[in-house]
Amino acid sequence: MTKAPERQSDTPVARLILDRWSPRAFTPAPIAEAELLALLDAGRWAPSAYNSQPWRFIYARRDTPEWERFLSWLIPFNHGWAQHASALVYVASHTVMSGRAEPVPAPTHAFDAGAAAVLIQLQASTTGWAAHPVSGFDQERARAGLELPEDYALNAAIVIGRQGEAKSLPESLQEREKPSGRRPLHQLAFQGRFTPGQQEQDGA
């Protein structure tokens, strides 16, 4: 497999963060349930408001009865490459905080679930697996298929597998099969107040 070019940062960002990226080329390979659960367990340790832990991970592994059903909810573009992966994990979050006299809204449920999803991806990257989060799926069909209660949001899905060769992808995707760049930090971080005009001046 061709080694991806290393990302570089102007600040001392940890290598495990810079080395994480989201490939689309996968080699069809099984993943043991214990291996997948070890990745999901990393997400369990994310921070959350009041330690409410709103995230839920609903998964299917290739070569199991649920696999094709989970894939069928993806938009055709994502289905085309995700079908070669090892697992598909839908990430949901509880939109209310329970365990109180009366449930109250959980305003950070999606933020907290996102933190958990990042830890899953980092764990995957550091243990020889690749992960690609996606939002392109049919919300209504996925919610129905997962039997998700009304007080849960369906935020994203994470495709997990063994990274394959870029040449296995359609030609239109092969050139994109490399770590992507990011905007300069000065277009994203502001001292004291948000200054969107700075982004426009810098041609972001």
Side-chain angles (χ1 to χ4, degrees):
M1 185 188 305
T2 304
K3 183 175 174 58
E6 283 195 349
R7 286 167 164 165
Q8 300 298 329
S9 179
D10 295 332
T11 63
V13 175
R15 198 70 247 170
L16 82 162
I17 295 173
L18 294 177
D19 288 344
R20 185 221 62 80
W21 64 289
S22 304
R24 290 188 177 91
F26 290 99
T27 299
I31 183 171
E33 187 164 32
E35 286 183 283
L36 179 57
L37 288 176
L39 303 184
L40 301 184
D41 194 31
R44 185 169 67 96
W45 294 97
S48 61
Y50 300 97
N51 195 28
S52 58
Q53 305 168 53
W55 46 75
R56 301 293 184 271
F57 315 125
I58 308 111
Y59 63 88
R61 296 176 297 124
R62 75 176 301 110
D63 301 326
T64 66
E66 297 88 4
W67 179 242
E68 292 298 332
R69 188 167 61 91
F70 273 50
L71 284 175
S72 72
W73 305 325
L74 298 177
I75 62 173
F77 173 78
N78 287 334
H79 185 286
W81 54 267
Q83 64 181 315
H84 303 298
S86 305
L88 183 54
V89 181
Y90 284 90
V91 181
S93 55
H94 201 192
T95 61
V96 299
M97 290 187 184
S98 52
R100 305 187 176 203
E102 289 192 17
V104 298
T108 64
H109 68 89
F111 180 87
D112 297 341
V118 169
L119 292 188
I120 292 170
Q121 293 168 72
L122 288 174
Q123 180 74 9
S125 179
T126 58
T127 55
W129 294 94
H132 191 127
V134 297
S135 61
F137 56 87
D138 188 311
Q139 272 273 346
E140 289 187 8
R141 291 181 59 217
R143 288 188 65 92
L146 297 171
E147 300 182 16
L148 204 61
E150 288 186 6
D151 58 350
Y152 282 81
L154 187 53
N155 301 293
I158 307 174
V159 182
I160 297 173
R162 296 292 189 191
Q163 189 175 349
E165 296 285 349
K167 63 184 179 183
S168 67
L169 293 169
E171 190 172 342
S172 60
L173 289 178
Q174 291 180 23
E175 189 62 30
R176 297 167 59 183
E177 190 66 359
K178 58 187 177 184
S180 56
R182 294 294 186 269
R183 295 183 180 198
L185 184 59
H186 72 268
Q187 294 179 6
L188 305 171
F190 312 101
Q191 180 171 264
R193 62 181 57 82
F194 180 52
T195 52
Q198 185 68 34
Q199 298 182 64
E200 296 166 6
Q201 290 176 349
D202 295 331

